[in-house]
Amino acid sequence: MPQSKDFSYLLSEEAKRRNASPLKTAFKYFGLPDLVFLGGGLPLSDYFPWNEVSANSPAAPFSQGIAAKPENADDGTITKITKTDGTIPLSKSLQYGYTEGQIPLMEFVTEHTRIVHNVPYDDWKCIATIGNTQAWDGILRAFCDKGDSILAEEYTFPSSMEAASAQGVNIVPIDMDDFGIIPQALDEKLSTWEGKRPKLLYTIPTGQNPTGSSLSFERRKEILKIAQKYDFLIIEDEPYYFLQMEPYTEDLETRKKIGVHSHQEFLDSLVKSFISIDTEGRVLRLDSASKVLAPGVRFGWIVGQEKLLERLIRAHEVSIQAPSGFSQAIIHGTLSQWGQEGYLDWLIGLRHEYTEKRDVAIDTVAKNFPSEVTSFIPPVAGMFFTVKLDASKHPKFATEFEKDPLKVENAIYEMALEKGCLMIPGSWFSIKATSEQKDTHIFFRGTYAAVPLDKLVIGLERFGAAVKDSFQL
Amino acid sequence: MPQSKDFSYLLSEEAKRRNASPLKTAFKYFGLPDLVFLGGGLPLSDYFPWNEVSANSPAAPFSQGIAAKPENADDGTITKITKTDGTIPLSKSLQYGYTEGQIPLMEFVTEHTRIVHNVPYDDWKCIATIGNTQAWDGILRAFCDKGDSILAEEYTFPSSMEAASAQGVNIVPIDMDDFGIIPQALDEKLSTWEGKRPKLLYTIPTGQNPTGSSLSFERRKEILKIAQKYDFLIIEDEPYYFLQMEPYTEDLETRKKIGVHSHQEFLDSLVKSFISIDTEGRVLRLDSASKVLAPGVRFGWIVGQEKLLERLIRAHEVSIQAPSGFSQAIIHGTLSQWGQEGYLDWLIGLRHEYTEKRDVAIDTVAKNFPSEVTSFIPPVAGMFFTVKLDASKHPKFATEFEKDPLKVENAIYEMALEKGCLMIPGSWFSIKATSEQKDTHIFFRGTYAAVPLDKLVIGLERFGAAVKDSFQL
């Protein structure tokens, strides 16, 4: 396999200025049997006030579903950690060190990455993060100086954009359609670029937030080629990658039959990631436990080429240091008992749950929203769906709303709130200037992730009624 | 009590640019009983793979010492958390949200801060961090633009300085003596300042790293006055505050007798902090669980005025988000059972342990280092002690070492390593240019924190022998 290319010329001034601590040269002596090491301010683990931590999880292969409650407290996968025992004992997990992540956990994550993405160059690795939000903030610092530009989907996650604009980074929106970034639009934007070229493309390729769109493998290949042509890095923010679902079908009989039946079928069903086709080390992949295990564990990892990740590790040493030791020890305790196969079972279980929720959401939208003005694409991944409405068909479009689609959007948002359902207006996610938005279509972002199915149905019935009332249909 | 002053003019451009997410306006509707909220991408807690987490800790008042092993597994303080039970149930701790910290934990921390520091203005608060390293990196971003200056002790924690210089911030060293920053030197530096004034003083006031020095209350008052005079903020980085010890005495009989005997005596024994005398909101205090509970929990908090902390919260929302939910839930589970009084018992227990370790270290240095060239001040706080040597008395000072004290330092470092003990050369912590260091005294930083007592003695005997050999004494 090839080695990655050197992209160090894309680093920010800040990243270039980072040095390793001089103390590191002393730490190479730490742990030598004949040496008394009085060099580091590490508290004795005798004084850590926890002697034992245990956690109880469902057991693979989750045949009753991932959300099934265990009948007995002793059922399930029990993780037990003491100061000296457990896959990552407390004397290690609660001590300083391991900025790159606790070794056994990173080995698990790396093997998982190999199974799923099979990165096609030699010197790739995974380093620990405390989640993709921080990882993205750190990547911005590592590559962008004030005044630099990045590319992003025209509708995207506001926190990511907020992080960029606070750093004084210019954000250039790329046109999307129902299936994500339009490669031709990206190429055109770059071919007519004036001034300093963008260093990064920030994208949420799978189950995009907010649109719910997913880039096809074909589009990913085209976008990677464009990245090579105009020499920028791709940052794939992929928290929803494993919330890929079965294809939507209205037919209930077909629904019962579809579903993946083996680990290989599952792996084959996943759209190929940017990193899986990146032979140069041009892609940094942000992976997170937030949507597949739990957000509050604050653990994720970046996959990418070693040379660029080294700069991030230097930054982590003097900022986040490392993810929580409790989080790392408990996660590894659970995952190591499940094993790689058991973890795939968990992800298949998630797929099943999300497919059901997506189906209920789409069925309810189809039934309750007026087809004259509504369109939607059933999402194939993620937590979000969008409902598109043609604002120009609103009876007051040309009068009260002065042909401004955003006024229609706001009126519907408020009427739905009154009826008791909240979805987020699409314009809240737009990074284009309002004047640039010429389309008369508006959309709302909903989620099927956060509420039980019965509430989901009630909510969407209410929202549909609000649309009907507003459009007088 | 007064309100804090407005220091927003000291904020960085980055901090001023930070906006709240527009989605926040929707989240005010979250949890309303009649509303179906389809606005946020929160996974259902049904899919969090941990049904129960429990932790076992020593029980207050720790009458056998904080490091005593429990005789039975059921002894001690048991924390049990399920998805719906516990002081911070898993459905909350492992979910998104609570950037400022989980409410019950922050209430505990705030009450603790009131008991210990009794901040003398109205609008102070505590916000959660993932430790002081990140807190300092975030404060640098919040106040300093590239090219701005900060003040720091001439010997200080390299990671903190590395964070500053990577951001392009100039670091101006302030002269210290055996008792920390010399207020007159600070005043003089500022009275002759040219160009844009410094915005921050970074200080480790108690058990300073690396010198082991602690600022007296008198000096703190003087330094605060100088901060008012020249209008900069004080960032007190205080991980070692609760590692304040009994006064050192050679007399073993006296040693047995001294020690605090009540919570009030303990609180009275602590040197008053900068924040406890700050009526303006000019001090930001960085507190950490790393040295008093365990480093790997990655939990700390900043105490300061609400208006400045609000800017940090906006930054946390788009970077760290929140400390680990496992960490917060387990810490609060333990602390809430100990109670404020039990937590003070824990800290008194730590004081006892560290006093004993400090005593052994100092006894051993006194006995084994050649008094002709050695001087030391027994530290009153922290994990570190320093041994000062007069390099000019080295027989080869003027010849082989060309009157360069750092060459003597290096020779001794290497000879001690050969003999099997490592302490860190003081010059490694210096932020002064080498040319500015005219003193012929060198020092080594040791720690009594990281090794058991028997190894501490062996190590220091070896180091003393290296000094004797090197100086031919």
Side-chain angles (χ1 to χ4, degrees):
Chain A
M1 280 206 292
Q3 291 285 309
S4 66
K5 279 181 64 177
D6 181 6
F7 291 115
S8 58
Y9 57 90
L10 291 175
L11 290 166
S12 67
E13 293 306 313
E14 179 176 312
K16 288 179 190 159
R17 273 193 298 261
R18 291 199 183 278
N19 297 310
S21 165
L23 295 176
K24 291 260 148 180
T25 65
F27 267 88
K28 71 180 176 212
Y29 297 110
F30 184 69
L32 287 190
D34 279 345
L35 187 80
V36 178
F37 189 88
L38 305 180
L42 309 181
L44 278 186
S45 61
D46 294 352
Y47 305 155
F48 299 166
W50 296 283
N51 296 313
E52 187 179 308
V53 168
S54 60
N56 184 321
S57 305
F62 319 103
S63 40
Q64 302 303 308
I66 58 167
K69 303 266 179 305
E71 290 189 19
N72 301 301
D74 294 341
D75 287 356
T77 298
I78 313 282
T79 295
K80 205 166 235 173
I81 309 158
T82 69
K83 285 202 178 146
T84 49
D85 288 327
T87 58
I88 310 172
L90 294 172
S91 63
K92 270 198 179 159
S93 66
L94 297 185
Q95 188 53 279
Y96 282 114
Y98 302 103
T99 295
E100 300 186 29
Q102 292 285 338
I103 293 169
L105 179 56
M106 296 319 292
E107 284 174 351
F108 190 97
V109 155
T110 304
E111 175 62 9
H112 166 73
T113 303
R114 202 194 54 69
I115 293 170
V116 178
H117 304 290
N118 198 20
V119 186
Y121 60 90
D122 237 11
D123 51 330
W124 66 274
K125 67 184 288 188
C126 300
I127 63 166
T129 70
I130 57 169
N132 290 10
T133 308
Q134 176 271 323
W136 168 238
D137 182 65
I139 283 174
L140 280 165
R141 292 174 73 180
F143 294 101
C144 295
D145 295 302
K146 198 181 148 190
D148 280 353
S149 298
I150 62 166
L151 307 161
E153 282 128 354
E154 61 172 315
Y155 296 97
T156 187
F157 182 40
S159 290
S160 294
M161 295 305 103
E162 188 48 46
S165 55
Q167 290 186 34
V169 171
N170 305 318
I171 307 162
V172 177
I174 304 300
D175 288 345
M176 309 170 73
D177 60 17
D178 290 333
F179 306 97
I181 291 174
I182 306 167
Q184 292 79 351
L186 176 63
D187 191 289
E188 205 184 302
K189 183 77 84 177
L190 286 152
S191 69
T192 58
W193 194 276
E194 287 178 24
K196 195 179 174 194
R197 286 254 189 80
K199 286 174 156 182
L200 310 176
L201 164 66
Y202 172 81
T203 174
I204 308 168
T206 317
Q208 206 254 354
N209 182 3
T211 63
S213 64
S214 293
L215 284 170
S216 66
F217 183 44
E218 282 311 308
R219 283 202 182 182
R220 290 178 203 227
K221 283 191 284 191
E222 285 180 69
I223 290 167
L224 182 58
K225 267 190 201 145
I226 296 167
Q228 290 165 342
K229 185 170 162 193
Y230 297 101
D231 198 23
F232 56 83
L233 305 182
I234 295 176
I235 313 301
E236 58 171 345
D237 184 5
E238 279 285 49
Y240 313 109
Y241 187 75
F242 286 110
L243 305 187
Q244 294 184 54
M245 299 167 285
E246 305 305 332
Y248 177 78
T249 166
E250 286 171 40
D251 183 56
L252 299 185
E253 282 310 303
T254 315
R255 251 184 222 180
K256 276 185 205 152
K257 282 178 219 149
I258 53 179
V260 296
H261 298 95
S262 72
H263 293 154
Q264 197 54 52
E265 217 178 303
F266 171 64
L267 292 169
D268 290 344
S269 79
L270 300 171
V271 61
K272 274 174 156 274
S273 62
F274 277 111
I275 204 145
S276 73
I277 50 171
D278 168 32
T279 53
E280 298 175 299
R282 186 182 287 284
V283 175
L284 292 174
R285 178 180 174 82
L286 314 188
D287 264 307
S288 169
S290 291
K291 309 301 195 289
V292 292
L293 299 176
V297 298
R298 300 284 84 219
F299 175 75
W301 59 97
I302 308 178
V303 191
Q305 59 153 287
E306 206 162 357
K307 288 187 292 290
L308 291 180
L309 295 184
E310 184 272 342
R311 294 284 82 194
L312 291 172
I313 292 163
R314 292 288 89 75
H316 289 181
E317 282 169 353
V318 298
S319 56
I320 62 163
Q321 291 213 18
S324 155
F326 281 132
S327 288
Q328 293 190 78
I330 294 172
I331 291 172
H332 187 257
T334 304
L335 291 184
S336 61
Q337 291 181 80
W338 289 355
Q340 295 289 346
E341 304 260 313
Y343 184 43
L344 293 181
D345 287 328
W346 176 261
L347 297 172
I348 291 169
L350 264 181
R351 179 186 181 91
H352 179 78
E353 297 289 334
Y354 276 86
T355 298
E356 190 181 357
K357 284 167 156 282
R358 189 270 325 267
D359 287 351
V360 169
I362 297 301
D363 290 352
T364 313
V365 169
K367 199 170 150 194
N368 292 278
F369 282 61
S371 59
E372 302 92 317
V373 299
T374 307
S375 60
F376 56 87
I377 306 272
V380 296
M383 296 182 150
F384 302 110
F385 63 98
T386 53
V387 181
K388 210 188 258 188
L389 303 171
D390 186 348
S392 70
K393 291 189 178 154
H394 197 285
K396 296 180 190 162
F397 183 65
T399 55
E400 189 181 326
F401 296 136
E402 299 167 309
K403 296 196 176 178
D404 181 353
L406 299 188
K407 288 189 177 161
V408 179
E409 187 190 68
N410 192 54
I412 292 169
Y413 173 67
E414 290 189 347
M415 184 172 286
L417 255 183
E418 241 171 70
K419 289 198 188 284
C421 180
L422 185 146
M423 293 205 286
I424 309 276
S427 69
W428 294 16
F429 302 96
S430 173
I431 56 172
K432 274 191 177 168
T434 321
S435 58
E436 274 187 74
Q437 294 186 348
K438 301 205 170 68
D439 193 354
T440 62
H441 286 86
I442 56 172
F443 74 87
F444 288 88
R445 185 195 79 172
T447 180
Y448 37 80
V451 291
L453 293 177
D454 53 341
K455 283 193 98 178
L456 180 61
V457 171
I458 294 169
L460 287 170
E461 285 170 353
R462 289 175 182 173
F463 206 103
V467 174
K468 274 185 195 153
D469 281 9
S470 186
F471 278 84
Q472 296 174 13
L473 291 166
Chain B
M1 280 206 292
Q3 291 285 308
S4 66
K5 279 181 65 177
D6 181 5
F7 291 115
S8 58
Y9 57 90
L10 291 174
L11 289 166
S12 67
E13 293 306 313
E14 178 175 312
K16 287 178 191 160
R17 273 193 297 261
R18 291 199 183 278
N19 298 310
S21 165
L23 295 176
K24 291 260 149 182
T25 65
F27 268 87
K28 71 181 175 210
Y29 297 111
F30 184 70
L32 288 190
D34 279 345
L35 187 81
V36 178
F37 189 89
L38 305 181
L42 309 181
L44 278 187
S45 61
D46 294 353
Y47 306 155
F48 299 166
W50 297 284
N51 296 312
E52 187 179 309
V53 168
S54 60
N56 183 322
S57 305
F62 319 103
S63 41
Q64 303 302 309
I66 58 167
K69 302 266 179 307
E71 290 188 20
N72 301 302
D74 294 341
D75 287 355
T77 299
I78 312 282
T79 295
K80 206 165 232 169
I81 308 158
T82 68
K83 284 201 179 149
T84 49
D85 288 326
T87 59
I88 310 172
L90 294 172
S91 62
K92 270 198 179 156
S93 66
L94 296 185
Q95 188 52 279
Y96 282 115
Y98 302 102
T99 295
E100 300 186 29
Q102 292 284 339
I103 292 168
L105 179 56
M106 296 318 292
E107 283 175 351
F108 189 97
V109 155
T110 304
E111 176 62 8
H112 167 72
T113 303
R114 203 194 53 68
I115 292 170
V116 178
H117 303 290
N118 198 18
V119 186
Y121 60 89
D122 237 12
D123 51 330
W124 66 274
K125 68 184 288 188
C126 300
I127 63 166
T129 71
I130 57 168
N132 289 11
T133 308
Q134 176 271 323
W136 168 240
D137 182 65
I139 282 173
L140 280 165
R141 292 174 74 179
F143 294 101
C144 295
D145 296 302
K146 197 181 148 189
D148 280 354
S149 298
I150 62 166
L151 307 162
E153 283 128 354
E154 61 172 315
Y155 297 97
T156 188
F157 181 42
S159 291
S160 295
M161 296 305 103
E162 188 47 47
S165 55
Q167 291 187 33
V169 171
N170 305 318
I171 306 163
V172 176
I174 303 300
D175 287 345
M176 308 170 74
D177 60 16
D178 290 333
F179 306 97
I181 291 174
I182 306 168
Q184 292 79 349
L186 176 63
D187 191 289
E188 205 184 302
K189 183 78 82 179
L190 287 151
S191 68
T192 57
W193 195 276
E194 287 178 23
K196 194 179 175 194
R197 286 255 189 79
K199 285 175 158 183
L200 310 176
L201 164 66
Y202 171 80
T203 175
I204 307 168
T206 316
Q208 206 254 354
N209 183 3
T211 64
S213 65
S214 292
L215 284 170
S216 66
F217 184 43
E218 281 312 308
R219 283 202 182 182
R220 291 178 202 227
K221 283 192 284 191
E222 285 180 70
I223 290 168
L224 182 58
K225 267 190 200 143
I226 296 168
Q228 290 165 341
K229 187 169 160 192
Y230 297 101
D231 198 22
F232 56 83
L233 303 182
I234 295 176
I235 312 301
E236 58 171 346
D237 184 4
E238 280 285 50
Y240 312 109
Y241 187 75
F242 286 111
L243 306 186
Q244 294 183 54
M245 299 166 286
E246 305 305 334
Y248 177 77
T249 167
E250 287 172 40
D251 183 56
L252 299 183
E253 282 310 303
T254 315
R255 251 185 222 179
K256 276 184 204 152
K257 280 177 219 149
I258 52 179
V260 296
H261 299 95
S262 72
H263 293 154
Q264 197 55 49
E265 218 178 302
F266 171 64
L267 291 169
D268 291 343
S269 79
L270 300 170
V271 61
K272 274 173 156 274
S273 61
F274 277 110
I275 204 146
S276 73
I277 51 171
D278 168 32
T279 53
E280 298 174 298
R282 185 182 288 282
V283 176
L284 293 175
R285 179 181 175 82
L286 314 188
D287 264 306
S288 169
S290 291
K291 309 302 196 288
V292 293
L293 299 176
V297 298
R298 299 283 85 220
F299 175 74
W301 58 97
I302 308 177
V303 190
Q305 59 153 288
E306 205 163 359
K307 288 187 292 289
L308 291 180
L309 295 184
E310 184 272 342
R311 294 284 82 193
L312 291 171
I313 293 163
R314 291 289 89 74
H316 288 182
E317 282 169 354
V318 298
S319 56
I320 62 164
Q321 290 213 19
S324 154
F326 281 131
S327 287
Q328 294 190 80
I330 293 172
I331 291 172
H332 187 258
T334 304
L335 291 183
S336 62
Q337 291 182 80
W338 288 356
Q340 295 289 347
E341 305 260 313
Y343 184 44
L344 293 181
D345 287 328
W346 177 261
L347 297 172
I348 291 168
L350 263 182
R351 178 186 181 90
H352 179 78
E353 297 289 335
Y354 275 88
T355 298
E356 190 182 356
K357 285 167 156 282
R358 188 268 327 265
D359 287 351
V360 169
I362 297 301
D363 291 352
T364 312
V365 169
K367 201 170 149 194
N368 292 280
F369 281 63
S371 59
E372 301 93 317
V373 298
T374 308
S375 60
F376 56 88
I377 305 271
V380 297
M383 296 182 150
F384 302 110
F385 64 98
T386 54
V387 181
K388 211 187 257 189
L389 303 172
D390 186 348
S392 72
K393 291 189 179 154
H394 197 284
K396 297 180 190 163
F397 182 65
T399 54
E400 189 181 328
F401 296 136
E402 299 168 311
K403 294 197 176 178
D404 181 353
L406 299 189
K407 288 188 178 161
V408 179
E409 188 190 67
N410 192 54
I412 292 170
Y413 172 69
E414 290 190 345
M415 184 172 286
L417 255 183
E418 242 171 68
K419 289 198 187 285
C421 179
L422 185 146
M423 293 205 284
I424 309 276
S427 69
W428 294 16
F429 301 96
S430 174
I431 56 171
K432 276 190 175 169
T434 322
S435 59
E436 274 187 74
Q437 294 186 349
K438 303 207 169 68
D439 193 354
T440 62
H441 286 87
I442 56 173
F443 75 87
F444 288 87
R445 185 196 78 172
T447 181
Y448 37 79
V451 291
L453 293 177
D454 53 340
K455 282 193 99 177
L456 180 61
V457 171
I458 294 169
L460 288 170
E461 284 170 353
R462 289 175 182 173
F463 207 102
V467 174
K468 275 185 195 156
D469 282 9
S470 186
F471 278 85
Q472 298 174 13
L473 290 167

